[in-house]
Amino acid sequence: MGVTERMRDSEWSQLMRAAISGDQSAYQRFLTEASRALRAMVRRGFGSTEISGSDAEDVVQEVILAIHMKRHTWDQTKPIGPWIVAITRNKMIDEIRRRGRRTEVPIDGLLDILEAPGQDDASNTYDAGRILDGLSGKARDIVKSIAIDGYSTREVAERLGMSEVAVRVQLHRSLKALAETYQEKQSQ
C-alpha cells in the first residue's frame, strides 16, 4: 500500500468513526469520497470483462448500500480500506456469477485484503428487514431487490415498468432517506 493509499485509508477511517458516532457531515463526506474511488476500482476490475458502465454503476451502488447497512460490522481499530475492498470484490464477483461466468477480479495495487467479520444470515436478514421498514412501496421493493436479492437495475426496471435511470434515482433517494432515519435514531 502506497503513501497516498495509507493517507486516504486513515482519513476514511476517521470519517467513518465520526459517522458512526453520529456526525452526518463526516458520513456524507466519506460516502462522496468513497463513491469516487469505488467507481474507478469497479471500472478497473471489470475492464477485461463484458460488463458495461451502467452495470458497473449498479455494483458501485450495491457496495455503497452494503457499506451503509453493515458499517456496524467494521472493526474500528483496523483500517477501513481492506474492509471496503473485500465488500467491493465480493459484489463484483456476485455480478460476474449472475452472468454465469467464472473469472478473477483483479485488485492488485488497491489495498491488502482482510476478511471482513461475518454475521450469521438470520441476523443479516432481521437487520435488513428492520432497516427497510422505513421505506414503503416501490422504494422498499427497489432497495430490497437490488441490495438484498441481487437483481440488477435493468432487471428491477423491467419488472416494475420503469426506466433504469428512474430506478437508480429512487435507489439513491431511498438510501438517503435511510441514512437520515438512521442519523435521527442515533441522535435520540
Side-chain angles (χ1 to χ4, degrees), residues 11-12 14-15 19 23-36:
E11 181 182 357
W12 286 3
Q14 290 173 0
L15 288 171
D23 185 338
Q24 178 65 28
S25 65
Y27 192 46
Q28 187 64 37
R29 184 170 164 212
F30 167 80
L31 290 175
T32 300
E33 291 181 17
S35 294
R36 274 190 229 120

Side-chain angles (χ1 to χ4, degrees), residues 142 153 157 161-173:
I142 288 169
T153 304
M162 299 171 65
S163 70
E164 287 183 56
V165 171
V167 169
R168 282 194 195 100
V169 167
Q170 185 62 54
L171 178 64
H172 288 277
R173 288 179 181 163

Side-chain angles (χ1 to χ4, degrees), residues 129-140:
R130 279 190 28 229
I131 290 169
L132 290 175
D133 284 343
L135 300 174
S136 62
K138 279 188 180 178
R140 178 184 172 94

Side-chain angles (χ1 to χ4, degrees), residues 46 51-59 95 99 152 154 168:
F46 285 150
I51 296 175
S52 70
S54 65
D55 291 331
E57 181 63 25
D58 290 348
V59 171
E95 179 65 23
R99 294 168 181 273
S152 70
R154 182 179 301 129
R168 282 194 195 100

Side-chain angles (χ1 to χ4, degrees), residues 106-120:
I107 57 168
D108 296 338
L110 298 174
L111 293 170
D112 296 327
I113 293 182
L114 299 178
E115 243 179 70
Q119 279 189 315
D120 70 20

Side-chain angles (χ1 to χ4, degrees), residues 4 76 104 110:
T4 303
Q76 294 185 37
E104 294 289 319
L110 298 174

Side-chain angles (χ1 to χ4, degrees), residues 45-46 48-51 89 92-97 99-106:
F46 285 150
S48 63
T49 69
E50 299 170 3
I51 296 175
R89 182 177 183 273
M92 291 172 71
I93 289 169
D94 289 346
E95 179 65 23
I96 291 167
R97 284 182 182 151
R99 294 168 181 273
R101 294 183 75 201
R102 184 177 172 143
T103 188
E104 294 289 319
V105 177

